[in-house]
Amino acid sequence: MQTGFVELFVDLVGTDPLINGLVGGVIIATMNLFGASLVLVWRDPSERALDTALGFAAGVMLAAAFTSLIIPGIEEYSGGNPIPTLVGVALGALFLDRADGLVPHAHYLLTGSRRSDAANPSQDLPVDESKLAGVVLFILAITLHNIPEGLAVGVGFGAAAGDPLQIGSALSLMLAIGIQNIPEGLAVSVAAINAGLDRRLYAVFTGIRSGVVEIPLAVLGAVAVVTIEPLLPYAMGFAAGAMLFVISDEIIPETHQRGYERVATLGLMAGVIVMLYLDIALAA
């Protein structure tokens, strides 16, 4: 599986890390669009199914943060020195924490329910909420959660530096992010529909949103690590830290609010298993 898939990707796309990052961004954005569009045919998914799917997405991201970012950042790109990668992890988590303090959580903008530690738009933003379109706030909130995903894919391909032997690891990360984008896109579409937004229009909007955000971030991640190689372990740690923050602060709490904690946990374990298999199959 590893040889055939990697060779096919290299034959079609080449080994330029910037082009690889661009293609990777397009692929994960397309998978997000696919997930958002599922609402057109799966018109009323149950809360149990959504929590299971989001748990799966969290498991994939959790394993990918370690196997494709933190461990390679320490062992392969820092000479065994954990400090640069761990500094990046801390910075990634801190960035998401501070950003969440300024921009409301996405689920509040869609449902009106607010966590006690979430931002209050009318108080925390330097503008009057009534003068700022809800869709702008929504895009800002969703962007925060796509930053680590797009960046991680770009960093993965930048780390491969065009080496076909390393591209397999970047591909496993790309597939992991893309797979978790499917239930994520579906869940956000369902939340938007429940808030009264149009089903068909929002499914398309979600796909466009993911493309606008994740594609340039993937290219940016590749550019950063290719042009400034010493930044690589910091960048890998930053992407991993941001992903871990999203998992712990947003995804897991969301899946444990409606009484389906057990299936969400089983979904998370399944996601970890799938990602570990992808990592071995594509990067061995």
Side-chain angles (χ1 to χ4, degrees):
M1 178 181 176
Q2 182 259 1
T3 302
F5 186 73
V6 174
E7 287 184 351
L8 176 62
F9 183 85
V10 170
D11 288 343
L12 292 175
V13 179
T15 57
D16 186 313
L18 303 187
I19 300 300
N20 291 165
L22 174 62
V23 172
V26 170
I27 290 174
I28 62 174
T30 300
M31 295 176 81
N32 194 300
L33 172 59
F34 173 74
S37 300
L38 284 177
V39 78
L40 299 175
V41 293
W42 191 9
R43 303 187 69 86
D44 190 25
S46 67
E47 290 182 344
R48 180 186 179 92
L50 285 175
D51 285 346
T52 304
L54 286 174
F56 178 84
V60 170
M61 291 178 68
L62 179 63
F66 288 95
T67 63
S68 298
L69 293 169
I70 294 176
I71 293 175
I74 295 173
E75 294 184 350
E76 298 178 27
Y77 303 106
S78 297
N81 178 13
I83 299 302
T85 303
L86 296 182
V87 167
V89 170
L91 291 175
L94 181 62
F95 174 79
L96 263 292
D97 176 64
R98 293 299 84 205
D100 260 350
L102 295 175
V103 179
H105 288 259
H107 77 272
Y108 157 65
L109 295 169
L110 291 174
T111 66
S113 62
R114 177 187 278 117
R115 281 173 27 180
S116 60
D117 64 345
N120 185 332
S122 61
Q123 297 177 9
D124 297 338
L125 291 179
V127 293
D128 187 343
E129 184 183 17
S130 64
K131 297 180 180 179
L132 188 60
V135 68
V136 175
L137 281 174
F138 176 68
I139 292 174
L140 288 173
I142 290 298
T143 297
L144 295 179
H145 297 274
N146 284 334
I147 286 174
E149 298 169 7
L151 184 62
V153 170
V155 168
F157 282 112
D163 182 358
L165 296 177
Q166 298 297 323
I167 287 178
S169 179
L171 285 174
S172 68
L173 178 59
M174 179 197 74
L175 289 176
I177 298 297
I179 289 170
Q180 72 87 31
N181 268 352
I182 295 175
E184 181 183 80
L186 173 62
V188 176
S189 285
V190 169
I193 292 166
N194 291 340
L197 299 182
D198 177 74
R199 181 185 304 271
R200 189 178 303 274
L201 175 63
Y202 185 71
V204 174
F205 171 74
T206 299
I208 294 174
R209 176 270 302 169
S210 67
V212 168
V213 173
E214 291 179 333
I215 294 173
L217 282 171
V219 176
L220 176 63
V223 169
V225 299
V226 167
T227 56
I228 313 177
E229 188 173 348
L231 282 180
L232 181 54
Y234 295 96
M236 297 180 83
F238 183 93
M243 287 170 64
L244 291 172
F245 185 92
V246 169
I247 293 167
S248 179
D249 185 66
E250 191 76 13
I251 299 180
I252 292 178
E254 281 293 309
T255 62
H256 285 222
Q257 288 185 352
R258 293 176 289 269
Y260 302 112
E261 295 90 343
R262 180 62 57 84
V263 294
T265 300
L266 293 176
L268 183 145
M269 297 304 300
V272 169
I273 291 169
V274 168
M275 180 56 208
L276 292 176
Y277 175 78
L278 287 174
D279 188 67
I280 298 300
L282 293 176

